[in-house]
Amino acid sequence: MILTILESKFFNMAKSKKGPRFIVSSFLFIAFLCTIASINEIRFDHLLTFSKCALSLDNSTLPIHSSDDEIRVLIGILTLPDQYHRRHFLRLVYGTQSVSRGRVDVKFVFCNITKEDQKVLLALEIMRYDDIIILNCTENMNRGKTYTFFSSLPDMLKDEPDGSGSAGSYPPYHYVMKGDDDAYFRLDNLVESLRPLPREDLYYGYTIPCENMDPYGHYMAGMGYLISWDTVEWLRNSDIPKKHLEGPEDKVFGDWMKDGRRGKNRHNAKWSMYNYPDPPTKCTHELWPNTVAVHLLKTQEKWIQTLKYFNVTQDLKPSKLYHIP
Ligand SMILES: *[C@@H]1O[C@H](CO)[C@@H](O)[C@H](O)[C@H]1NC(C)=O
Ligand SMILES: *[C@@H]1O[C@H](CO)[C@@H](O)[C@H](O)[C@H]1NC(C)=O
Ligand SMILES: *[C@@H]1O[C@H](CO)[C@@H](O)[C@H](O)[C@H]1NC(C)=O
Ligand SMILES: *[C@@H]1O[C@H](CO)[C@@H](O)[C@H](O)[C@H]1NC(C)=O
């Protein structure tokens, strides 16, 4: 548009006034304008190419929603294949929690299934929820299920396209936690408690015995303990755990850490982790806001009291379809 107007103006001027000089200068001016236009075009093209580059880079190499402060945590809840109701309940409890900065995947972990009905029911559960890990082991209490869990993860997660960890990112999780199915985890508090802590060689949990506040003492209680991904890989590769698999799992775990001189960084999460206040012991604490885990929720009543305390239903949206007093 502008070009045409200028062109005609100059052309008219050239025609009306002293011919040749004006024609030459107007041609020069048009050439000048064309050059500017083509330079701009090149720039525009480059912009397009740059934005294409940025998009493809985004797509192939960076996990979605990732930022430097995103912490990825896997909680493996060790349970048994037949605990259908417990899993259903825990899915309610964790599926309604949100994590503001970070990602927590809660998965249920057990050994080989053994019954015909499990093949159908568990396959359906996986199709619906995709939150189950079946290890290659025979169910056991004190013969290395915890070891199998941690040490299987690097291979299990290596080629997972998505769903576990973030697509293609390393490490798939910054931290892996082993949890009990009678413990209640406050996922956002857990992630926030991890934020200031190292991402290497970390061993985090509730120090045993109950009155002990020194995380370098012995080991972390089975209600829930967490290690950084480098330690998961160490467990997979080291001979130390392989030689010493039998015994109370969490205590044996502490022995491996000691023998392997692992867990240079330790965090005692007491009293953000504790046993349910009733009946009171040296290991209990009142329910309080600064909670990462409440353990020994052995009855429905204790679960209900705990969930009520944390106001877990406060975001229920009003509707004509139901009325909950
Ligand atoms: C992103 O990756 C997916 C799957 O690899 C592909 O289908 C899609 O076209 C890619 N999008 C862009 C913008 O490159
Ligand atoms: C599972 O473990 C058994 C023995 O413990 C072994 O023979 C088998 O190869 C393992 N299977 C897989 C898929 O790793
Ligand atoms: C678990 O099941 C797999 C496949 O069904 C089998 O190869 C493996 O030997 C079993 N492992 C154990 C320890 O029973
Ligand atoms: C639950 O809600 C009550 C009432 O709003 C509030 O006083 C209390 O602090 C909340 N509890 C927690 C743990 O946030």
Side-chain angles (χ1 to χ4, degrees):
M1 246 320 234
I2 294 169
L3 249 176
T4 339
I5 292 166
L6 281 171
E7 225 175 313
S8 57
K9 198 177 168 198
F10 269 79
F11 202 63
N12 284 340
M13 277 169 79
K15 257 205 233 158
S16 65
K17 300 216 169 149
K18 301 161 209 165
R21 243 212 265 82
F22 262 97
I23 291 176
V24 170
S25 63
S26 63
F27 267 113
L28 280 176
F29 188 66
I30 289 165
F32 171 65
L33 286 177
C34 283
T35 319
I36 288 181
S38 66
I39 287 171
N40 273 339
E41 206 166 24
I42 290 166
R43 280 206 192 129
F44 189 57
D45 258 8
H46 269 271
L47 266 179
L48 270 184
T49 344
F50 275 134
S51 59
K52 273 181 215 153
C53 283
L55 273 178
S56 62
L57 193 76
D58 235 12
N59 202 19
S60 59
T61 60
L62 299 173
I64 304 155
H65 304 311
S66 171
S67 63
D68 279 345
D69 70 355
E70 191 201 55
I71 298 180
R72 295 187 297 277
V73 184
L74 171 66
I75 303 183
I77 298 187
L78 270 52
T79 178
L80 295 170
D82 281 338
Q83 295 281 346
Y84 298 101
H85 294 297
R86 174 55 55 97
R87 282 198 294 283
H88 171 68
F89 177 69
L90 292 176
R91 280 182 187 119
L92 284 180
V93 160
Y94 294 121
T96 48
Q97 287 191 41
S98 63
V99 175
S100 55
R101 293 186 299 161
R103 165 173 174 166
V104 181
D105 290 347
V106 177
K107 296 199 187 263
F108 301 100
V109 180
F110 34 79
C111 292
N112 270 0
I113 56 176
T114 51
K115 300 178 194 157
E116 280 304 307
D117 61 349
Q118 290 171 346
K119 289 186 190 170
V120 175
L121 295 173
L122 288 169
L124 284 172
E125 269 189 77
I126 292 169
M127 288 163 70
R128 177 65 182 84
Y129 301 107
D130 195 16
D131 61 359
I132 284 177
I133 295 177
I134 303 180
L135 303 169
N136 184 14
C137 54
T138 309
E139 279 306 336
N140 64 82
M141 287 291 285
N142 287 323
R143 277 181 297 108
K145 182 173 176 180
T146 306
Y147 170 74
T148 312
F149 167 58
F150 283 111
S151 63
S152 302
L153 289 175
D155 290 331
M156 281 180 158
L157 299 177
K158 202 185 301 170
D159 301 317
E160 274 296 289
D162 195 9
S164 312
S166 292
S169 51
Y170 181 87
Y173 295 100
H174 299 107
Y175 302 106
V176 179
M177 186 168 219
K178 173 259 157 179
D180 272 355
D181 66 359
D182 63 349
Y184 172 58
F185 293 94
R186 303 282 297 159
L187 306 182
D188 202 39
N189 285 359
L190 170 66
V191 168
E192 291 308 314
S193 76
L194 291 168
R195 203 164 292 284
L197 300 178
R199 296 207 178 163
E200 287 86 41
D201 208 9
L202 181 70
Y203 184 26
Y204 168 118
Y206 176 100
T207 53
I208 288 288
C210 294
E211 58 274 25
N212 177 20
M213 296 302 278
D214 172 17
Y216 293 89
H218 190 182
Y219 66 98
M220 305 295 183
M223 66 170 87
Y225 52 87
L226 170 146
I227 55 177
S228 47
W229 184 257
D230 57 338
T231 302
V232 174
E233 290 183 333
W234 173 78
L235 282 169
R236 176 185 178 292
N237 297 324
S238 170
D239 285 331
I240 290 172
K242 291 191 193 105
K243 286 188 206 142
H244 175 30
L245 283 179
E246 302 223 349
E249 303 255 320
D250 315 310
K251 180 170 175 302
V252 168
F253 193 97
D255 293 341
W256 304 332
M257 296 296 279
K258 180 162 165 282
D259 295 347
R261 300 180 185 200
R262 298 294 303 190
K264 184 168 80 261
N265 301 307
R266 297 194 182 203
H267 179 75
N268 175 21
K270 207 181 286 174
W271 293 100
S272 67
M273 295 174 79
Y274 50 89
N275 284 352
Y276 187 80
D278 184 48
T281 67
K282 280 179 188 163
C283 311
T284 58
H285 190 279
E286 290 307 306
L287 296 172
W288 65 314
N290 183 20
T291 294
V292 167
V294 188
H295 183 225
L296 288 187
L297 296 171
K298 295 284 188 199
T299 63
Q300 168 128 330
E301 169 66 16
K302 289 178 180 179
W303 272 105
I304 298 301
Q305 287 308 321
T306 304
L307 296 175
K308 266 177 146 171
Y309 175 82
F310 290 107
N311 296 325
V312 298
T313 61
Q314 72 187 357
D315 292 334
L316 177 73
K317 71 172 170 32
S319 165
K320 287 184 204 147
L321 298 182
Y322 45 73
H323 47 96
I324 295 182

